[in-house]
Amino acid sequence: MLRQLVSTVTEDDHLRLHRIPFTLLWFGSYGLAWYVLYIYEMLWYDGNFDPILSWLKWPSWREELVVGLLFGLTLSFVQTWLIRLRYGYVPRLWRIATILGATIAGFGYPRVGMRTGEYLLGLNWMGVNHPPRTDSLVNDFLIWFSVLGLFQAIVMLRINRKAWLIIIVGVLAGIIASVPLLSPRPLYGKPIWTLIMGTMVQASGTCLLLLHFMAHPRENVVPNNNEIKSNQVYTITVSTFILLWIGIYYLHLVLVTALSELWRFMVYYSPNVLYYGLDLSSRNGELYRCLFSFGIIGVITALGQQWLMKKHSNSSIPGWRKFTIVGWIFAGITWWGFRYVYPQPDLERAFMFGAHLAMPALFQAIPMNRAFRGGWMWAVVGVLAGVIVVFIRGAGQSNLSNFYGVIVAGLILSFTTALVFLRLQSRSRETQPTIAA
């Protein structure tokens, strides 16, 4: 069965959306959904929002419904768009099933310690210092992963009789997330590790199954005009381009957390010779972690942005991937300098904090300026975003200002750079006939 699924994925393709970007964006949908919950948890932690969010604290079922609804809305929005983009149609009630399934799954929302934001606040995760009871987490994981799979499987049964396999994927994800918690060594106070593992199983399993089911639908369930649409090259609209461009930025914040935890997991199980030989317990170890995380983020961001530009305008910028990756590596170095180099004057720390946000844009401005007249505006936007994040950080009275700074300045950076690219690309297209004439 697995060989058949893999064969389907490699053979079935559409001009509308290739299987590789579909798979990556499918994984990204789960990452963005979790980041929405992370933002919610951070706002919950901020006492200024108590008058607004206090009604959620008791009874607890209110919060569980809201958390599940937020996750379901985000997931359904991205996944529905992806399925329609690749196949030209969406299984009936898919959106409703995803939202309703996630909302009910919210009653098993796993508390793994996102509420104190270790990476942006400099505090320890609740999942480290105060891990929930193991039996409670096991039940939560099983509910969280299984219920969503159940609702999506019911909808997909109309497309393919084997859709019940989605339920198996959900149960398997819950088991993989739960079993390590029963042994103290894999747990190590880090249930978030098992959450990441379970989410990866859920994302990869549902993606593989959906590609197979949509490639082998039952008779009379596919719209009559779908065959024509699926053979047409699909160009991303302006609004979709902007939303996905912004989404790539916020996806990198998810990856910062996930990859950092992956690094800590590898370090924890690394041989003593490697651990002490590379001095992984010191600031050098944190530098390696930043290079590891931001390097991978650079690769994913470069490929994602390049694909978006080509999908929207059928154009690519020479050197984009190289300069983007290098820019993110330098962003990791400046982030390490901000977080782990002491003593350090306040002005220098503020500069490091702003530079880590602006660095990728500064490097991307080099190929952008080569490709378009006026590409220097890309660097101006990066510097402006860096200044804004420093200003927000300085205006706050708590470490939460770091979080708000990255969120707000990042939104400005991603939205503005998307507009700059659209403007430069449009102006370049307008001048080409004049030059030819």
Side-chain angles (χ1 to χ4, degrees):
M1 181 62 185
L2 181 59
R3 182 177 299 179
Q4 184 182 4
L5 291 175
V6 175
S7 176
T8 299
V9 172
T10 55
E11 293 177 2
D12 173 56
D13 248 324
H14 288 253
L15 294 176
R16 295 173 61 90
L17 182 64
H18 191 269
R19 62 182 178 274
I20 295 178
F22 177 88
T23 301
L24 294 176
L25 289 170
W26 189 268
F27 273 77
S29 67
Y30 286 93
L32 290 176
W34 273 111
Y35 194 73
V36 169
L37 297 191
Y38 173 71
I39 293 177
Y40 165 78
E41 293 282 8
M42 297 297 290
L43 297 179
W44 213 97
Y45 177 77
D46 189 347
N48 294 322
F49 289 91
D50 278 349
I52 301 175
L53 298 178
S54 58
W55 66 276
L56 290 175
K57 298 179 181 180
W58 184 263
S60 61
W61 61 265
R62 292 178 181 173
E63 183 184 28
E64 292 166 346
L65 284 176
V66 170
V67 166
L69 180 61
L70 289 174
F71 191 88
L73 287 172
T74 308
L75 200 65
S76 66
F77 175 80
V78 180
Q79 290 186 349
T80 301
W81 171 79
L82 276 176
I83 297 172
R84 180 177 289 113
L85 177 59
R86 179 173 170 85
Y87 296 102
Y89 75 103
V90 180
R92 187 178 300 174
L93 301 179
W94 173 269
R95 185 191 297 271
I96 296 177
T98 302
I99 296 174
L100 185 59
T103 301
I104 297 177
F107 288 102
Y109 175 52
R111 303 287 181 183
V112 296
M114 292 193 295
R115 186 157 287 175
T116 51
E118 180 183 31
Y119 296 103
L120 293 179
L121 299 184
L123 304 174
N124 289 324
W125 286 49
M126 288 172 62
V128 176
N129 290 337
H130 304 287
R133 288 174 48 188
T134 299
D135 57 344
S136 175
L137 266 181
V138 169
N139 293 332
D140 290 343
F141 278 137
L142 290 174
I143 295 172
W144 178 263
F145 290 108
S146 301
V147 173
L148 178 60
L150 172 63
F151 277 78
Q152 291 183 335
I154 293 174
V155 171
M156 286 300 297
L157 280 173
R158 183 173 178 271
I159 301 296
N160 192 291
R161 297 178 185 272
K162 297 181 180 180
W164 53 268
L165 290 171
I166 297 179
I167 302 177
I168 302 300
V169 168
V171 174
L172 180 63
I175 292 174
I176 289 178
S178 301
V179 169
L181 301 182
L182 303 177
S183 175
R185 178 173 172 81
L187 174 59
Y188 191 55
K190 286 283 191 175
I192 191 172
W193 287 352
T194 64
L195 173 65
I196 294 173
M197 292 167 55
T199 303
M200 292 292 291
V201 171
Q202 184 182 46
S204 57
T206 54
C207 181
L208 193 62
L209 288 174
L210 190 135
L211 288 172
H212 175 74
F213 296 153
M214 296 297 285
H216 300 87
R218 299 170 61 182
E219 296 182 3
N220 301 324
V221 298
V222 180
N224 295 330
N225 62 344
N226 180 66
E227 183 177 353
I228 299 176
K229 290 184 178 181
S230 64
N231 291 326
Q232 295 177 347
V233 178
Y234 183 83
T235 301
I236 292 179
T237 62
V238 171
S239 58
T240 302
F241 174 86
I242 294 175
L243 288 175
L244 287 177
W245 193 273
I246 295 173
I248 288 176
Y249 170 80
Y250 285 104
L251 181 61
H252 109 262
L253 296 176
V254 179
L255 292 174
V256 167
T257 299
L259 293 173
S260 296
E261 290 296 336
L262 176 61
W263 173 264
R264 289 187 170 95
F265 182 84
M266 293 187 299
V267 168
Y268 178 67
Y269 288 104
S270 63
N272 289 337
V273 175
L274 182 64
Y275 182 84
Y276 292 106
L278 296 178
D279 196 15
L280 295 179
S281 62
S282 67
R283 288 189 304 184
N284 291 335
E286 294 299 333
L287 177 60
Y288 300 147
R289 179 181 66 81
C290 289
L291 293 176
F292 169 80
S293 301
F294 282 83
I296 295 179
I297 289 171
V299 173
I300 295 175
T301 302
L303 294 175
Q305 290 178 338
Q306 188 179 53
W307 174 81
L308 274 178
M309 290 186 288
K310 190 171 183 62
K311 200 66 177 176
H312 172 73
S313 60
N314 197 28
S315 62
S316 59
I317 299 176
W320 180 263
R321 285 181 292 182
K322 176 176 63 178
F323 282 96
T324 300
I325 294 171
V326 173
W328 277 104
I329 291 175
F330 273 88
I333 295 174
T334 52
W335 179 250
W336 170 79
F338 166 73
R339 286 295 307 275
Y340 302 105
V341 176
Y342 296 100
Q344 194 178 56
D346 290 339
L347 182 61
E348 186 176 340
R349 278 180 56 80
F351 172 79
M352 287 290 190
F353 188 69
H356 103 273
L357 184 68
M359 200 63 70
L362 295 179
F363 277 86
Q364 288 175 338
I366 298 175
M368 185 65 69
N369 194 52
R370 292 175 180 175
F372 300 110
R373 183 178 180 180
W376 51 268
M377 289 190 295
W378 203 270
V380 173
V381 172
V383 173
L384 178 62
V387 172
I388 291 174
V389 74
V390 171
F391 174 79
I392 295 176
R393 177 178 179 269
Q397 299 298 320
S398 69
N399 286 329
L400 277 168
S401 58
N402 293 351
F403 167 75
Y404 294 134
V406 171
I407 293 295
V408 175
L411 177 61
I412 295 173
L413 173 65
S414 54
F415 178 73
T416 307
T417 50
L419 294 181
V420 168
F421 170 77
L422 293 172
R423 174 56 182 165
L424 293 177
Q425 190 273 333
S426 176
R427 190 169 62 182
S428 175
R429 183 176 295 178
E430 291 173 357
T431 57
Q432 283 178 358
T434 304
I435 295 176

